[in-house]
Amino acid sequence: MSVQQDRDISADWFAFAKAALDGDKSLELSRRTKLSSGLGYHLVAEKHATVDVFGGLSYSDRRYSTPQTLHGHTSDHFQRPGGIFGEETSHQLSETVTVKQRLEAYPDFSAMAGHSATFTSSVGVDRKSTRLNSSHGYISYAVFCLKK
């Protein structure tokens, strides 16, 4: 689950703040909280299509159900500073159909390289009294650096 607030600074530039919360039982990740903020640029800002790029800083707090070893550090709780870089597009295909996609990369700035990325896409159909949304998301975790 995530929420993001964008605020236009000018016709081309915007500032954003984002908060995300997720987990993954298969990785024994009980909770991951991520806070991000930064600046973005509207590459395309038309009535039926938008293309945005953005970047900034992030902070991640990960809590595991069992202790994990990450680059020589064993704990059930890891915190790290990082970045956020990405792009988002939205296309209105007709009066009632909109397609959106978003790709985000989260490079790690600490010694514990735990880079991750997310990709989400959605199709929305809006009728007079009915709105249908279908979305799909993928979150990559840096499982290559986790050891039990």
Side-chain angles (χ1 to χ4, degrees):
M1 170 179 77
S2 67
V3 294
Q4 179 169 327
Q5 174 67 44
D6 295 345
R7 179 163 307 267
D8 285 332
I9 299 171
S10 69
D12 295 329
W13 291 93
F14 64 93
F16 70 90
K18 180 176 182 174
L21 178 67
D22 65 358
D24 189 328
K25 287 184 181 181
S26 67
L27 295 176
E28 299 178 354
L29 180 61
S30 301
R31 183 182 73 228
R32 179 175 68 172
T33 306
K34 191 170 285 195
L35 303 173
S36 308
S37 65
L39 295 174
Y41 186 77
H42 301 297
L43 292 173
V44 176
E46 298 178 2
K47 184 177 179 181
H48 298 292
T50 61
V51 178
D52 293 337
V53 293
F54 52 88
L57 299 175
S58 71
Y59 175 79
S60 176
D61 182 279
R62 293 181 182 194
R63 296 186 184 261
Y64 293 88
S65 56
T66 60
Q68 306 289 316
T69 300
L70 183 59
H71 290 281
H73 298 83
T74 302
S75 180
D76 63 353
H77 183 208
F78 294 93
Q79 298 173 323
R80 66 178 179 90
I84 177 174
F85 303 97
E87 58 80 26
E88 180 177 46
T89 63
S90 176
H91 303 279
Q92 187 170 359
L93 302 179
S94 70
E95 288 185 19
T96 59
V97 178
T98 304
V99 177
K100 296 181 180 183
Q101 68 82 33
R102 182 181 180 100
L103 176 65
E104 297 175 342
Y106 293 93
D108 186 354
F109 293 165
S110 71
M112 295 183 288
H115 310 299
S116 64
T118 63
F119 177 77
T120 55
S121 61
S122 67
V123 176
V125 178
D126 194 2
R127 295 276 182 179
K128 290 181 183 178
S129 62
T130 305
R131 175 173 282 171
L132 298 172
N133 282 308
S134 175
S135 66
H136 177 72
Y138 175 76
I139 302 172
S140 75
Y141 295 99
V143 295
F144 57 85
C145 63
L146 294 176
K147 297 178 184 175
K148 288 188 178 183

